[in-house]
């Protein structure tokens, strides 16, 4: 089965929301509706640094990635943060995650961005198995302080 990676359109919202809900369930995250709606709005806005990629297989959306393009302090070109990547459980093992990653790597190179980075839970062995084929995990430790949120 062929996987096609593409940009989202407004018509994809319901299918994207299903994938987004699956992603948040996996991470046991409770993202308020106002944030979900705003994330989708930014993903469709070409002026936003937030962008999305969708993976389609046999006419169904089966994967998504949300990324943030930003400037960096260690290079002269842009940097891309892969914030969220999710593949529907029914499509796992069929190359959907790899298709999203390959598309994103090619996109970053085409745009001349110097770095692509991401993180996942140490226990997320399925994702790490894929990610380890691209680059070894580094020795950084992430700190996260939650401030006021809607």
């Amino acid at each position: 089965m062929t996987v096609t990676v593409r940009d989202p359109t407004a018509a994809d919202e319901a299918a994207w929301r299903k994938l987004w809900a699956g992603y948040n369930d996996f991470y046991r995250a409770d993202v308020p509706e106002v944030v979900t709606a705003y994330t989708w709005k930014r993903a469709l806005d070409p002026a936003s640094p937030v962008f999305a990629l969708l993976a389609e297989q046999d006419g169904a959306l089966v994967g998504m990635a949300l990324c943030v393009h930003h400037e960096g302090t260690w290079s002269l070109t842009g940097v891309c943060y892969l914030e969220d990547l999710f593949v529907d459980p029914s499509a796992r093992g069929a190359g959907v995650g790899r298709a999203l990653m390959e598309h994103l790597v090619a996109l970053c190179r085409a745009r001349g961005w110097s770095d692509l980075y991401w993180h996942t839970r140490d226990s997320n062995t399925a994702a790490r198995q894929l990610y380890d084929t691209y680059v070894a995990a580094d020795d950084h430790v992430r700190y996260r302080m939650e401030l006021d949120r809607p």
Side-chain angles (χ1 to χ4, degrees):
M1 292 189 267
T2 303
V3 177
T4 303
V5 177
R6 61 176 178 78
D7 294 335
T9 68
D12 295 318
E13 183 174 4
W16 173 84
R17 280 178 173 268
K18 183 179 175 194
L19 293 168
W20 178 245
Y23 178 81
N24 285 299
D25 286 347
F26 178 82
Y27 279 108
R28 295 184 177 98
D30 185 21
V31 177
E33 168 56 27
V34 66
V35 175
T36 295
Y38 186 56
T39 298
W40 179 247
K41 179 181 173 183
R42 290 182 294 162
L44 293 179
D45 181 357
S48 172
V50 174
F51 65 96
L53 299 173
L54 299 177
E56 190 173 23
Q57 189 175 51
D58 295 332
L61 291 183
V62 294
M64 63 101 191
L66 288 166
C67 308
V68 181
H69 169 250
H70 63 90
E71 293 186 27
T73 59
W74 291 7
S75 71
L76 298 175
T77 61
V79 175
C80 183
Y81 171 46
L82 169 58
E83 189 163 352
D84 311 304
L85 188 146
F86 181 75
V87 174
D88 186 276
S90 68
R92 292 188 183 150
V96 176
R98 182 165 304 282
L100 285 162
M101 288 296 297
E102 290 293 323
H103 188 92
L104 182 56
V105 168
L107 180 70
C108 290
R109 286 189 170 131
R111 293 183 177 174
W113 299 342
S114 63
D115 292 279
L116 169 61
Y117 68 101
W118 63 93
H119 64 266
T120 193
R121 286 197 176 139
D122 186 53
S123 61
N124 191 351
T125 55
R128 293 191 68 195
Q129 191 172 23
L130 170 65
Y131 297 153
D132 287 346
T133 66
Y134 288 91
V135 65
D138 62 23
D139 63 348
H140 285 84
V141 177
R142 181 179 78 127
Y143 294 86
R144 180 181 179 131
M145 180 185 298
E146 290 189 11
L147 305 171
D148 296 330
R149 291 187 185 189

